[in-house]
Structures are given as structure tokens and as C-alpha cells.
């Protein structure tokens, strides 16, 4: 068995048959392969690995290069995708071997963290990943936001084709990358893939500054306006975009929009009837999973007070004994000491990303903690839900 990295151009002959068989209706039309080939340029910076036997690719994995904000510190992040093996080559350890190579290479090249969307979380838990929240969807009739239709707000919303608003949109996502826990953006090469998407873009500005944006489409007169992530820098951006939705009253019956777990849509209007859903199912709608790849790279993360030593056993990249302390509100990661807690990579990653507290780490089977470890780990890593944004 040969394991090797392939170029973006080679993906069409090697990865495409594996991932199309795994993720698309099949057999697929010839045009799909042509389209995949045309889009190869967006994968120039991705790392793509295959396992090959007698010249035939039997398994594949890839990582996109992203940047991600984790508690205020922005890291290079490996977005794992295109994980598939040939049905006759499954359960032979090929994907394990590829994923281990991939994560090692991405860490070597600077990724401190990794994110993926699992078909089955327990599969990736074996590789140190732990779940974080899936986005929510708010669905409501625009009448419910009637109070906004004529409201005088200090700003305006422009409706653009994606291609015309792409730069403003990109600028906003980069601003949110600096500001928002969990937020991630693709590198420029892959981000280009979305420039020509056939969607509308509503861009909210106040005093010339972009304060919100949302991609959307309308599927039918009298039916649904389907919006993607409601991206805003704060309440004014949100109000401007909601006002824009409100002005579709009598044109669409419903608006559905993707939101983070910290949005509370029932507070958007007095008479607003709204359904807020977080739907997780497998294999298609899993919540994202995250893991840490590099402990020293976490130094400087904004944290609460505390000083504690933990051990992470059996992990090639973050295994060892680590003293975690806070200096001036910033995390200091140092080697060695006497551990007060033994955590899996997933357990530690859950604390860092703010999704579980130390007692939950224990009850979920992701670590064993002495009583004196609980208070410093709780104060160092207060609960804070990440919003991942990039989907791949
Ligand atoms: C999921 C898939 C990639 C696994 O590939 P594979 O080559 O069988 O994986 P491996 O043999 O390397 O198995 C790796 C580990 O996961 C375990 N595993 C494999 N499939 C599993 C499954 N469906 N559920 C839980 N564990 C599984 C293996 O037992 C092995 O465990 P170990 O190394 O700790 O002993 C393959 O079944 C596939 O292509 N499925 C369809 C596409 C898909 O769902 N891809 C994932 C998208 S996120």
C-alpha cells in the first residue's frame, strides 16, 4: 500500500470517484466529473492524501487551510474533509493511517487546531475530536417583524449578486474572525470558490461600515426565503438585516435563517412567532467536531484565572504533562509538573472550546479529575459556545 500526497489536478482521477461514490447520488452523470475538474484550482492549497494499491486509489482524506478564532486567539486550522474509502477496502485501517498522516502534516505546517463535520462522531472521537454545537435555524413569517418595516434605523441594506458583494462579505468575515469565538474562514484560494455562487447577498452598512451580511435565495413567490448565516457585528447589523427580511412581507410566507446558539429569536420582536431548531442527525447533519493539535501554540489565549497541571496520555501531538496557568488574563502553557487531572485530547479540547465544564468532561468519560482540578479548570476555561461558520 502506498500513501502519498496528490496535487489538486490529480484529485479528479483519484479522489473524485471515492468521494462521489460516498457522498453523491450515483452513478453520477459525466458532467459532474468535468465540473470537479474545473474547480480543481480552489483546492490548490488543500492537502490531499490517498492510499493506493496497484495504481488504484482505495482511500482518501483532505484538509483545507482555514484560520479560526479560539477564545480570542486566531490560529491556523486544518479543516478535514473528503474522508472516504472504497467499499471493498473498508475496515482495513486505511483511513486511520491517512488521517494520522494528515493531522501530523497539518500540525507540522502550523495548524494548532482542527475541525471537521462527522458522519458519526464516535468514529472521530477515536482521533481526539469532540463535538461542538451545530448551528440553529430560526423560521418565522415576516409579519412577525412588522415593527421594523417602517422603523428609522441608522443604516441601510443593499441587495447584491454574490459576485458584486463578495469583497464586502469577505471583509466582514475577516472582521468576525478576529472578534468571534469559533469563527473560521477559508484561505483566499478556497474562499474564491464562493465568489460566483448563485445567491443574493444582503449587506447592511452604517456610516459606510459593513455591520452585517447574509446570503439568501427565494425559492418561490409566496413560499420561502432561505437565508444562510446571519453575520453581524452586533445588534444594529442584526436589526438592519431583520428589517430587510420584514420588507418581504406578502412576497414570502416564511423566512428561515441560520443562527448561532447564542441568538434568541423570540426576542427579535413582540409578536414574533418563531421556531428555533437545532437538528442533529447522522450521517448528514452532524454538529462539527474540534481538536487541539499543538499545546504550546495555545499560549496567549485569553482565559480566566487559574493554575493547574494536567496530563494528556497517548496522543502523538499533544500528549504529555502540561501546566496551564494564567498571566495577565492570558494562558501560559508549560511542560511538566504533577498532574491533578488526566484528560483525553477530546476532554481538553472541550474545555478549551468552552463547550463542556470539567464535571461534564468527567461524566462524558473524557477525563478523570481530582477535586482540586475542578475549580482552576472551571475558572481558566469558562463556558463559551463557539460558532464555527465555515462548512466543508
Ligand atoms: C467511514 C469510512 C471513511 C471509514 O473508512 P475505513 O477505511 O473503513 O476506516 P478504517 O478501517 O481506517 O477505520 C478506522 C477506525 O474507525 C473504526 N470504524 C470504521 N468505520 C466505522 C464506523 N462506521 N463507525 C464507527 N467506527 C468505525 C474502525 O474500526 C477503526 O478503529 P480503530 O483504528 O480504532 O481500530 C468509510 O466507511 C466510508 O468511506 N464511508 C462512506 C463515506 C463517509 O461516511 N465518510 C466520512 C465522512 S465524515
Amino acid at each position: 500500500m502506498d500513501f502519498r500526497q496528490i496535487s489538486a489536478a490529480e484529485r479528479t482521477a483519484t479522489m473524485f470517484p471515492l468521494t462521489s461514490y460516498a457522498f453523491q447520488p450515483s452513478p453520477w452523470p459525466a458532467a459532474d466529473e468535468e465540473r470537479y475538474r474545473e474547480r480543481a484550482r480552489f483546492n490548490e492549497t488543500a492537502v490531499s492524501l490517498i492510499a493506493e494499491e496497484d495504481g488504484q486509489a482505495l482511500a482518501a482524506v483532505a484538509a483545507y487551510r482555514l484560520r479560526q478564532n479560539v477564545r480570542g486567539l486566531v490560529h491556523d486550522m486544518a479543516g478535514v474533509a473528503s474522508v472516504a474509502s472504497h467499499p471493498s477496502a473498508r475496515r482495513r485501517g486505511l483511513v486511520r493511517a491517512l488521517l494520522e498522516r494528515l493531522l501530523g502534516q497539518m500540525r507540522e505546517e502550523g495548524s494548532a487546531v482542527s475541525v471537521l463535520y462527522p458522519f458519526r462522531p464516535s468514529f472521530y472521537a477515536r482521533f481526539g475530536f469532540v463535538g461542538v454545537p451545530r448551528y440553529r435555524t430560526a423560521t418565522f413569517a415576516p409579519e412577525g417583524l412588522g415593527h421594523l418595516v417602517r422603523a428609522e434605523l441608522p443604516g441601510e441594506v443593499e441587495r447584491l449578486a454574490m459576485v458584486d458583494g463578495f469583497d464586502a462579505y469577505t471583509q466582514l468575515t475577516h472582521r468576525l474572525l478576529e472578534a468571534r469565538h469559533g469563527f473560521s474562514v477559508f484561505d483566499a484560494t478556497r474562499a474564491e470558490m464562493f465568489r460566483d455562487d448563485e445567491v443574493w447577498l444582503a449587506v447592511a452598512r452604517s456610516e459606510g461600515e459593513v455591520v452585517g451580511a447574509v446570503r439568501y435565495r427565494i425559492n418561490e413567490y409566496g413560499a420561502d426565503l432561505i437565508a444562510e448565516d446571519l453575520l453581524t457585528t452586533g445588534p444594529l447589523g442584526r436589526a438592519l438585516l431583520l428589517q430587510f427580511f420584514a420588507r418581504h412581507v406578502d412576497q414570502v410566507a416564511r423566512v428561515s435563517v441560520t443562527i448561532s446558539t447564542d441568538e434568541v429569536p423570540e426576542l427579535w420582536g413582540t409578536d414574533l412567532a418563531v421556531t428555533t431548531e437545532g437538528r442533529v442527525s447522522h450521517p448528514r447533519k452532524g454538529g462539527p467536531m474540534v481538536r487541539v493539535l499543538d499545546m504550546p501554540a495555545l499560549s496567549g489565549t485569553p482565559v480566566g484565572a487559574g493554575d493547574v497541571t494536567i496530563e494528556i496520555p497517548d496522543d502523538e501531538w499533544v500528549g504529555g504533562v502540561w501546566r496551564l496557568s494564567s498571566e495577565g488574563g492570558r494562558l501560559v502553557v508549560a511542560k511538566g509538573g504533577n498532574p491533578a487531572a488526566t484528560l483525553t485530547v477530546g476532554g481538553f479540547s472541550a474545555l478549551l472550546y468552552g463547550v463542556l465544564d470539567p464535571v461534564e468532561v468527567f461524566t462524558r468519560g473524557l477525563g478523570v479529575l481530582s477535586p482540586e482540578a475542578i475549580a482552576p479548570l472551571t475558572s481558566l476555561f469558562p463556558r463559551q459556545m463557539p460558532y464555527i461558520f465555515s462548512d466543508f
Side-chain angles (χ1 to χ4, degrees):
M1 189 69 56
D2 291 326
F3 295 94
R4 68 180 179 101
Q5 182 168 355
I6 53 168
S7 67
E10 284 176 285
R11 283 171 57 118
T12 313
T14 54
M15 288 181 84
F16 171 75
L18 294 171
T19 53
S20 288
Y21 186 81
F23 305 122
Q24 305 301 325
S26 67
W28 51 86
D32 283 14
E33 185 172 335
E34 202 34 53
R35 185 173 153 77
Y36 191 89
R37 193 188 317 278
E38 275 165 20
R39 292 163 78 88
R41 65 185 188 281
F42 303 124
N43 290 323
E44 289 289 350
T45 52
V47 174
S48 308
L49 305 183
I50 58 166
E52 210 173 28
E53 199 170 52
D54 303 327
Q56 193 197 352
L58 294 180
V61 297
Y64 300 120
R65 295 182 195 278
L66 293 98
R67 307 263 297 150
Q68 183 180 37
N69 180 320
V70 181
R71 284 191 187 273
L73 192 62
V74 176
H75 299 283
D76 283 355
M77 182 263 261
V80 174
S82 307
V83 176
S85 54
H86 192 285
S88 52
R90 288 181 186 161
R91 307 299 194 276
R92 281 170 51 187
L94 296 183
V95 165
R96 170 170 281 283
L98 283 170
L99 268 180
E100 284 172 355
R101 279 175 169 74
L102 182 72
L103 293 174
Q105 179 171 343
M106 294 310 287
R107 181 187 188 274
E108 198 108 302
E109 294 179 17
S111 293
V113 288
S114 180
V115 174
L116 54 77
Y117 288 82
F119 72 103
R120 178 198 279 260
S122 56
F123 177 85
Y124 292 103
R126 295 164 186 267
F127 296 91
F129 287 83
V130 71
V132 298
R134 186 172 168 84
Y135 59 73
R136 307 297 193 235
T137 305
T139 306
F140 54 90
E143 288 86 334
L145 295 175
H147 67 287
L148 285 170
V149 174
R150 287 200 183 76
E152 290 285 335
L153 299 177
E156 63 287 321
V157 173
E158 192 180 10
R159 189 209 71 192
L160 299 161
M162 185 64 196
V163 64
D164 298 322
F166 181 79
D167 292 340
Y169 186 75
T170 303
Q171 211 184 6
L172 176 65
T173 59
H174 283 259
R175 189 167 158 200
L176 294 175
L177 172 68
E178 297 300 324
R180 192 147 187 194
H181 173 46
F183 205 84
S184 64
V185 300
F186 286 111
D187 71 353
T189 304
R190 189 161 175 85
E192 275 298 314
M193 194 168 86
F194 308 104
R195 185 184 284 273
D196 300 335
D197 280 354
E198 279 178 23
V199 289
W200 293 115
L201 180 68
V203 177
R205 288 191 176 80
S206 181
E207 295 178 354
E209 191 191 331
V210 177
V211 292
V214 65
R215 288 159 49 106
Y216 72 97
R217 65 201 153 80
I218 294 172
N219 68 352
E220 197 183 324
Y221 177 54
D224 296 296
L225 185 160
I226 298 158
E228 300 177 14
D229 303 73
L230 187 71
L231 300 182
T232 72
T233 59
L236 179 59
R238 189 211 290 125
L240 285 165
L241 293 176
L242 293 181
Q243 179 178 59
F244 181 73
F245 290 151
R247 290 178 175 163
H248 290 74
V249 66
D250 298 327
Q251 181 187 344
V252 298
R254 283 168 304 274
V255 173
S256 79
V257 60
T258 299
I259 53 172
S260 65
T261 50
D262 55 5
E263 284 285 359
V264 188
E266 58 269 40
L267 304 184
W268 290 347
T270 308
D271 279 338
L272 179 64
V274 57
T275 302
T276 305
E277 260 186 333
R279 189 175 287 199
V280 170
S281 65
H282 306 116
R284 298 193 63 170
K285 296 181 190 301
M289 297 180 85
V290 300
R291 70 154 283 162
V292 175
L293 289 173
D294 187 342
M295 291 295 282
L298 304 179
S299 282
T301 302
V303 288
D307 188 344
V308 64
T309 299
I310 63 161
E311 179 171 16
I312 303 177
D314 306 328
D315 187 77
E316 196 178 333
W317 305 295
V318 302
V321 176
W322 302 100
R323 180 174 171 201
L324 308 172
S325 56
S326 170
E327 254 177 50
R330 300 271 172 177
L331 184 66
V332 178
V333 179
K335 274 217 131 144
N338 196 10
T342 303
L343 304 176
T344 62
V345 193
F348 174 69
S349 301
L351 292 174
L352 177 75
Y353 275 80
V355 295
L356 299 180
D357 80 5
V359 174
E360 289 168 315
V361 166
F362 170 71
T363 59
R364 285 274 309 270
L366 299 171
V368 178
L369 301 92
S370 67
E372 56 277 17
I374 292 178
L377 283 172
T378 305
S379 57
L380 274 170
F381 302 113
R383 191 174 172 89
Q384 194 181 351
M385 287 298 145
Y387 184 50
I388 306 292
F389 171 59
S390 292
D391 203 346
F392 37 87

